[in-house]
Structures are given as C-alpha cells and as structure tokens.
Amino acid sequence: MNIILIGPPGAGKGTQAGKLEDERGMVQLSTGDMLRAAVAAETPVGLQAKAVMERGDLVSDDIVTGILSDRLDEDDVKGGFILDGYPRTEAQAHSLDALLAEKGMTLDHVIELEVDEAALVERITGRFTCAHCGEGFHDTFKRPAVEGVCDVCGSKEFKRRPDDNAETVKQRLEEYRKKTAPIVPHYEPKGIVRRVDGMADIETVSDSIAAILDGE
Ligand code: AP5
Ligand code: MG
C-alpha cells in the first residue's frame, strides 16, 4: 500500500509515518529527512538546500523530485511507502503522477492531517530527536520514559532542528498555506483523499489512520 501523508509543519506526519514503519513495515519517504541528510553530508544538493531550509522556504522542485525519484527505485519501497512532505507544490504533484506511472506504482490514499495552526508552534518548538537513532520526542507531549535517555537506543544525546524556531515556523506555515494545501484538490477526482483530526492525541490519530488503511 502506498500513501501520502499531507499536513502543515508539526501536523504529525513524521510521527505517524514512523509508527506505520514499525507497525506495518511500510517505508517512510520524508523529503525533509533526505534533504537534512544531504545538508549534513555537505553534498552539492545539501549545500544548495541549507540556507533555503533555514529560511523556511521550499527547496526547488527539480532537486526534490530528483532525490525522490532515485529513492523510489530502491527495492525496499516495493512493499509499500508513506510519502511524508512530498508533493508540496502543484508541480511536484504532477511530477509524482508521472514518476509513479513510469515506475508502475499507484497511490492508495492521500491522508490529510487537519490541525489548528495555533497548536503547531508549540509542537514544533518543543520537538527534539535522539541524535543516535532519530527517535522523535517532545518537551511536553512525548518525553523519554527516563529523563535524558532515549527510549529506543539508550543514547543520552539529543538534537533540535535549525528550522524549528518560531520565526522560521511562521514562514514554513505560509509556504504550506500558499503552495501545499492547494494541491489536495488534485487528488479529489481520484476519490482517494481522506481527512483525519490531527489534534487528537498521537495514539488516536494512529487509530484513525489504521482504520483508513484497513478499509474500515
Ligand atoms: P519537513 O522535514 O518535511 O518538515 P515540515 O513539513 O515542516 O514538517 P515537520 O517535520 O516539521 O512536521 P511533522 O508533520 O513531521 O510533525 P512531527 O511528526 O515531527 O521539511 C523541512 C524543510 O525541508 C521544508 O521547510 C523545506 O525547506 C524542505 N523540504 C522538504 N520537503 C520538500 C519538498 N517536497 N519540496 C520542497 N522543499 C522541501 O510532529 C511535531 C511534534 O509534535 C513532535 O515533537 C511530535 O512528538 C509532536 N506531535 C505529533 N503528533 C502529535 C499529536 N497528535 N499530539 C501532540 N503532539 C504531537
Ligand atoms: Mg517531519
């Protein structure tokens, strides 16, 4: 099964994609994670993307589509994937249609996480991840069971994203409103758009997504 999770910054795309990986063996394809890896590795793409991401703007369609296309050619995606953060513009939605057709793949669901924007700044500015295994946490909503120790791998090192400050979040939300939210109607004629209340707690959101995937 192949799905898109769509929603503004902080909506819970990464959180839910991670759970789907653990629970269903689907593969999370986060273009944000791919770009952050390129920035960390200081590849030519990473060097171009770094400043753009720190401003909260979108990286160019060609760069992101190129990265995603290569990733879709890897074997592990054949058992099902979750697109997290792609497509993000009208041009990317059209590119994705072409890529999937060319690779003989289809989309089963586009799941829109609906959230109250006022809650997003708190979600994003409180977010941190394990520096070793990447497990996500939150200052208020998801603290490690033992303070200062990752629940998954036991590491004591954590990190925060450079674009997770209140000013950049404002710009990221603006980009979402102007360029990403308007692409949902692209999928309406295919009858695959479903909406989930992303304001519920993490487990309730997961249950709602599971019900969609299980055809309930
Ligand atoms: P990207 O990495 O995709 O970031 P984003 O879309 O801004 O979304 P986030 O990762 O911030 O939020 P999320 O929805 O994953 O929320 P999370 O689950 O972590 O993109 C970053 C940048 O890369 C972009 O700005 C752009 O520059 C570039 N980029 C990426 N893709 C691109 C593309 N296709 N085209 C062009 N440029 C691109 O949750 C947030 C926090 O809230 C966590 O701490 C979590 O624990 C908590 N939380 C989650 N769910 C709940 C809940 N239900 N209740 C309470 N807390 C919750
Ligand atoms: Mg994310």
Side-chain angles (χ1 to χ4, degrees), residues 120-198:
L120 298 181
V121 176
E122 186 191 8
R123 278 197 191 177
I124 292 173
T125 52
R127 169 173 55 190
F128 59 99
T129 53
C130 171
H132 183 64
C133 73
E135 179 70 4
F137 295 96
H138 191 279
D139 291 330
T140 310
F141 307 121
K142 193 187 164 198
R143 300 200 62 83
V146 177
E147 197 59 37
V149 181
C150 174
D151 295 348
V152 175
C153 74
S155 165
K156 292 182 178 162
E157 274 180 66
F158 296 91
K159 59 181 183 182
R160 292 182 190 254
R161 275 169 46 177
D163 60 344
D164 278 354
N165 57 77
E167 197 177 314
T168 308
V169 170
K170 229 174 105 193
Q171 176 60 16
R172 285 159 60 195
L173 280 169
E174 186 64 21
E175 290 283 80
Y176 182 80
R177 264 185 241 116
K178 277 200 307 215
K179 298 176 183 165
T180 308
I183 68 177
V184 175
H186 176 82
Y187 296 100
E188 295 283 6
K190 304 183 206 304
I192 56 173
V193 178
R194 303 291 300 269
R195 292 184 175 81
V196 164
D197 175 14

Side-chain angles (χ1 to χ4, degrees), residues 7-17 28 30-33 35-36 49 52-61 64-65 84-89 92 113 115 120 122-129 136-139 141-142 161 163-164 168 172-173 175-176 197-205:
K13 304 180 295 294
T15 302
Q16 296 302 330
Q28 175 187 14
S30 160
T31 44
D33 287 349
L35 288 166
R36 279 184 287 279
V52 179
M53 293 171 77
E54 283 176 3
R55 282 198 306 272
D57 292 336
L58 293 183
V59 175
S60 84
D61 290 331
V64 184
T65 298
D84 159 6
Y86 187 98
R88 244 176 160 98
T89 62
Q92 291 180 20
L113 296 174
V115 281
L120 298 181
E122 186 191 8
R123 278 197 191 177
I124 292 173
T125 52
R127 169 173 55 190
F128 59 99
T129 53
F137 295 96
H138 191 279
D139 291 330
F141 307 121
K142 193 187 164 198
R161 275 169 46 177
D163 60 344
D164 278 354
T168 308
R172 285 159 60 195
L173 280 169
E175 290 283 80
Y176 182 80
D197 175 14
M199 294 308 294
D201 61 60
I202 292 173
E203 293 308 324
T204 306
V205 176

